[in-house]
Amino acid sequence: MAKRGYIPIDKEDLPVEFEIELGGQDFILAVNHNASQDIFTIDLWTIDYAPLVLGERLILNERLWADVVNEKLPSIDLVPMDEADNETEITFDNFMSTVFLFVDDLPPDSDVPNLENEE
């Protein structure tokens, strides 16, 4: 059972776009899959469709938008991960099966690794 909350995504319906509340603000989030390279990307817009980040690649255990400086980004961390730590990459087969897009909001002293401080 997951210890963090995750964003439910139906990978069979990709590309998909939906409204989501993150850190108390509403955003538009789009999830895409490039089948030829087997990679997933995320687009993030304000609720008024002003682009914030487009084409952010999902990389296992790496926080989204970690290298983007923009005060309009959500104040919470989204991290694609396998909480059991069995996977080494994100693939269509394991996405939303063992790898999920988690809201990494556990306190640092929890028994599950918090990726916030990893480099």
Side-chain angles (χ1 to χ4, degrees), residues 31-75:
V31 183
N32 307 286
H33 180 249
N34 179 320
S36 66
Q37 295 181 14
D38 198 17
I39 63 171
F40 293 88
T41 60
I42 299 282
D43 298 329
L44 182 71
W45 294 278
T46 66
I47 197 66
D48 299 323
Y49 280 94
L52 295 172
V53 181
L54 302 177
E56 177 81 4
R57 183 176 175 178
L58 294 182
I59 299 174
L60 191 66
N61 300 327
E62 289 193 19
R63 183 172 49 93
L64 292 180
W65 314 300
D67 59 348
V68 178
V69 178
N70 185 332
E71 64 188 30
K72 294 181 181 179
L73 288 175
S75 60

Side-chain angles (χ1 to χ4, degrees), residues 66-113:
D67 59 348
V68 178
V69 178
N70 185 332
E71 64 188 30
K72 294 181 181 179
L73 288 175
S75 60
I76 61 170
D77 291 334
L78 299 181
V79 182
M81 69 176 92
D82 164 23
E83 284 191 326
D85 202 27
N86 293 322
E87 303 294 347
T88 59
E89 63 184 350
I90 302 172
T91 66
F92 190 82
D93 290 337
N94 68 23
F95 187 63
M96 299 311 295
S97 175
T98 57
V99 174
F100 299 88
L101 183 56
F102 284 102
V103 176
D104 193 19
D105 58 357
L106 290 181
D109 61 348
S110 69
D111 63 347
V112 175

